[in-house]
Amino acid sequence: MAEHLRILIADDNYSDRIILKALLAREGHEVITAEDGLQAVDLFMTEQPDIVLLDLMMPNLDGYGAASRIKALSDERLVPIVFLTAMTDVDALTRCLEVGGDDFLTKPYQKDILHAKLRALRRIQQLYKTVSHQRDQIRKHQKRMEREQQQAKAIFDRIAHPGCLDAPFIYHHLSSLHIFNGDVLLAAEKPGGGVHVFLGDFTGHGLPAAIGAMPISELFYDMTGRGFALSDIVSAMNSRLCELLPVGVFCCAFAAEIDIRESVVRVWNGGMPNGLLWRDGQGVVAQFRSTHLPLGITDDDRFRAIVETIGFEEHDRLLVYSDGMTECSNANDEQFGEERMLQCVGTVSNNQVIINELLSEIGRFCAGTSGSDDATALEVLIVPEQMQGRPAIADKNERHGPKDFSFALTLQAQALRESDPLPVLLDVLMQIPGLRVHRGQVFAILAELYSNALEHGVLQLDSALKRSSDGFAEYYRLRHEKLMALDSGRIEVFCRHCPKLDGGTLEIQIHDSGQGFDYADRLNRPLENLRGYAGRGVGLLSRLCERVEYSGNGNTVAIQYRWRQVDIHDE
């Protein structure tokens, strides 16, 4: 044997003790001897041997009792115990193993077997020592990672946009098994009213999985505030994550827009569980299934940002959740599952919060177990009057841009197919000092003018399709189909701003290449007859603008919006 060990022998038989000591000392081992079990326990504490050889039958304390005490004193050390016995009784030998014995050595001793057993036990001891060292290193690494995660969370919390998760129409639940988890939950009000929401689930957990949260959060809030469409925001997120994330890391995502102007929900689902649209008295009326790959996998050329569109009714609820909600397991290792999820949602009444009922049901199902994944859920109660957007606050540090100016923009077929001009137009107009406070109304006017010019002018879509909720899907399917096939047509935009002592007047004119419509008949109808799924744009423009004029064949509309300066001292 190349390695010399410290070995404790406990045997009340003097001759057996001397023979065994001689065999071991001849191989260079250091041998300590005890005459009974009590002496063996005392010597174990003072001498710290590598291996213990115990006779089974000894006075004062037998081998069973000595083995139990020695195992308790070993703490995290692995000190093999070998019983010395001439017994062959199965019950006695079984008890030896139960009290902590690792092997047997039968009398009379055979030198080759003795040394072979010592070598085997030493190999096990060395393996245990290696594993223990690795465990200690992992503990140190885990503590270091926890400190880094705490620091990362503190940084993220300081720079993260608060959004509108605290709005009265939003309920959410975010629980994590880690300090900084892989689930990302975002919500922001659009400039002209309505809401964008986003739930992302990065692969893995902890800090590596949450690295992408910062850039996509920044993109989401910035682009929503500037009036970008949901499809543009999702495309930008995908492009950024493709640049940043390593291979194998991606983000399953569910993004949705509550459009109160069109009374529609637009959804993009890439790899997330089905989103649900719930209606009082009917339960789940629509499921938004995953039809796209997760973010961060597909490059820009192959990425599809097509959204699903469906009409909503007031007080409908949109429910979005991560797979941690359905994959939680009970004591029998049975998952909660999508079927139980739908059953629970189907029994909710209008005065209940769906998320609270779900969490209660999941808690009962998984009683006595701990979670195994990040569980996140978002519920949006669709109440248009609460989604008009929070009043903007005047900024004393606002940049001083031009006040008296005009500009024109012409969009040909390719530009109409591939871009959304609203963020560009809004960015330019927001340079006017003092107008940023009225950002929501300006965006609502631009959005209404442009969507009418594109959809009813250039694309010749019939708004009558939207008079029923069933017609929404067909309307937006045709919109996408016609827009992608567009090879001619144009929209011309002209904007002029005239400053006033207390604010200014914004004039916008939009002309499209479409056939126009009978605007005289439309304008002669009472506004209440224009409500519902179609025809609301005329009423909206009339409420917001001092003047709305149609000309030509109805394919040219000019508005005048009078705004007044807000004194920052009044905020």
Side-chain angles (χ1 to χ4, degrees):
M1 265 189 164
E3 186 177 6
H4 297 162
L5 304 175
R6 174 175 284 195
I7 301 174
L8 171 61
I9 301 173
D11 195 332
D12 63 327
N13 186 297
Y14 176 77
S15 60
D16 287 346
R17 194 168 62 243
I18 292 300
I19 292 172
L20 189 55
K21 178 179 180 181
L23 289 174
L24 295 173
R26 194 175 301 159
E27 296 295 327
H29 300 303
E30 180 183 352
V31 181
I32 307 146
T33 60
E35 298 178 0
D36 59 43
L38 286 178
Q39 190 179 12
V41 172
D42 291 338
L43 287 171
F44 177 82
M45 290 187 293
T46 59
E47 300 297 332
Q48 296 291 301
D50 298 310
I51 294 176
V52 177
L53 306 181
L54 283 178
D55 185 31
L56 188 57
M57 308 303 295
M58 293 185 293
N60 298 324
L61 183 66
D62 62 17
Y64 298 127
S68 298
R69 296 189 188 184
I70 288 172
K71 280 296 181 183
L73 293 170
S74 298
D75 195 19
E76 293 188 356
R77 291 177 61 215
L78 176 61
V79 181
I81 297 176
V82 178
F83 277 100
L84 310 173
T85 180
M87 298 179 61
T88 57
D89 180 67
V90 174
D91 291 337
L93 295 178
T94 300
R95 188 182 174 195
C96 290
L97 298 177
E98 290 174 347
V99 297
D102 298 289
D103 204 344
F104 304 99
L105 188 62
T106 57
K107 300 178 181 179
Y109 308 123
Q110 297 183 39
K111 185 178 79 168
D112 293 339
I113 293 179
L114 169 64
H115 295 315
K117 286 181 179 289
L118 291 179
R119 285 193 295 269
L121 290 172
R122 190 54 176 168
R123 287 196 299 270
I124 294 174
Q125 210 171 32
Q126 293 289 1
L127 177 61
Y128 179 84
K129 184 177 180 181
T130 300
V131 172
S132 297
H133 175 71
Q134 292 173 344
R135 177 204 59 201
D136 293 340
Q137 292 299 110
I138 291 172
R139 286 175 178 173
K140 291 179 182 179
H141 178 70
Q142 184 176 6
K143 290 180 179 179
R144 184 170 63 252
M145 286 293 296
E146 287 176 355
R147 289 194 298 270
E148 292 176 356
Q149 290 173 358
Q150 289 171 339
Q151 294 169 355
K153 185 178 187 302
I155 294 171
F156 182 75
D157 289 344
R158 284 198 296 268
I159 69 172
H161 194 290
C164 65
L165 288 173
D166 61 344
F169 51 84
I170 289 182
Y171 310 94
H172 67 279
H173 170 77
L174 179 62
S175 68
S176 171
L177 298 177
H178 296 74
I179 297 171
F180 200 28
N181 73 343
D183 286 358
V184 181
L185 187 58
L186 310 171
E189 292 171 305
K190 297 166 54 187
V195 179
H196 281 162
V197 295
F198 178 89
L199 174 56
D201 184 358
F202 282 86
T203 51
H205 296 91
L207 184 58
I211 289 174
M214 296 183 190
I216 66 171
S217 173
E218 180 184 6
L219 279 173
F220 177 83
Y221 289 116
D222 177 65
M223 295 183 71
T224 296
R226 293 169 59 194
F228 278 89
L230 183 69
S231 56
D232 292 330
I233 297 174
V234 171
S235 295
M237 287 180 169
N238 180 73
S239 180
R240 182 69 60 85
L241 292 181
C242 283
E243 295 174 358
L244 295 178
L245 297 181
V247 175
V249 180
F250 52 84
C251 178
C252 296
F254 188 105
E257 173 189 3
I258 311 296
D259 186 340
I260 61 173
R261 185 177 61 86
E262 295 284 344
S263 291
V264 297
V265 178
R266 297 185 179 92
V267 166
W268 187 93
N269 188 350
M272 290 290 286
N274 298 344
L276 307 177
L277 187 65
W278 180 93
R279 185 166 298 157
D280 185 30
Q282 299 182 47
V284 176
V285 295
Q287 296 191 42
F288 302 102
R289 305 182 186 280
S290 173
T291 56
H292 304 282
L293 291 173
L295 300 176
I297 293 179
T298 309
D299 58 33
D300 293 345
D301 293 336
R302 295 179 295 167
F303 183 75
R304 297 173 67 249
I306 301 171
V307 297
E308 181 179 355
T309 305
I310 189 170
F312 67 74
E313 294 182 6
E314 189 168 355
H315 295 110
D316 281 359
R317 296 169 185 258
L318 175 66
L319 178 66
V320 189
Y321 53 90
S322 68
D323 56 14
M325 298 285 286
T326 54
E327 293 180 358
C328 56
S329 301
N330 61 15
N332 297 323
D333 203 27
E334 180 184 11
Q335 291 190 347
F336 186 72
E338 185 177 352
E339 184 177 348
R340 287 188 181 86
M341 171 78 70
L342 292 173
Q343 289 175 351
C344 181
V345 173
T347 60
V348 174
S349 61
N350 191 44
N351 61 349
Q352 294 176 310
V353 178
I354 297 177
I355 288 179
N356 293 344
E357 298 304 310
L358 272 175
L359 292 175
S360 297
E361 185 64 25
I362 290 173
R364 288 189 289 269
F365 179 80
C366 299
T369 64
S370 59
S372 60
D373 201 353
D374 301 321
T376 303
L378 173 72
E379 178 181 347
V380 182
L381 174 61
I382 303 177
V383 186
E385 58 266 27
Q386 294 183 2
M387 298 179 170
Q388 300 296 332
R390 303 179 188 183
I393 299 176
D395 184 1
K396 64 181 180 181
N397 298 317
E398 185 178 29
R399 290 175 293 175
H400 295 287
K403 297 181 180 180
D404 188 357
F405 73 102
S406 64
F407 66 90
L409 177 68
T410 300
L411 300 163
Q412 303 292 350
Q414 182 180 1
L416 294 175
R417 288 196 312 269
E418 299 177 358
S419 65
D420 179 3
L422 295 182
V424 176
L425 294 171
L426 192 63
D427 279 350
V428 174
L429 294 176
M430 289 304 102
Q431 305 304 311
I432 299 173
L435 188 57
R436 185 172 295 273
V437 176
H438 306 277
R439 182 190 191 98
Q441 291 186 339
V442 174
F443 180 83
I445 293 169
L446 285 170
E448 187 60 43
L449 291 172
Y450 179 74
S451 65
N452 281 339
L454 177 63
E455 296 174 7
H456 306 312
V458 176
L459 300 180
Q460 292 292 293
L461 291 170
D462 186 358
S463 61
L465 277 173
K466 295 192 288 182
R467 289 200 177 104
S468 68
S469 57
D470 292 339
F472 269 96
E474 178 63 12
Y475 180 89
Y476 285 100
R477 186 193 68 79
L478 287 172
R479 183 188 188 277
H480 175 74
E481 182 181 286
K482 289 190 173 187
L483 187 58
M484 292 299 98
L486 188 68
D487 59 4
S488 64
R490 70 183 188 284
I491 293 177
E492 300 170 357
V493 182
F494 176 78
C495 297
R496 174 166 48 206
H497 182 260
C498 300
K500 305 290 184 183
L501 290 176
D502 62 344
T505 299
L506 179 62
E507 299 175 356
I508 303 175
Q509 177 178 293
I510 289 191
H511 170 80
D512 65 72
S513 58
Q515 299 176 3
F517 70 105
D518 187 356
Y519 59 89
D521 175 67
R522 180 68 60 87
L523 294 177
N524 287 333
R525 298 186 208 171
L527 288 181
E528 57 267 21
N529 292 343
L530 298 176
R531 293 175 183 169
Y533 284 108
R536 293 160 299 178
V538 174
L540 175 65
L541 292 175
S542 299
R543 287 193 300 271
L544 295 178
C545 304
E546 282 193 339
R547 177 174 59 87
V548 180
E549 293 182 353
Y550 291 86
S551 59
N553 296 325
N555 56 355
T556 300
V557 58
I559 64 94
Q560 186 177 82
Y561 172 68
R562 178 74 168 91
W563 65 275
R564 286 172 172 77
Q565 188 81 36
V566 175
D567 189 348
I568 61 174
H569 301 292
D570 295 335
E571 298 298 329

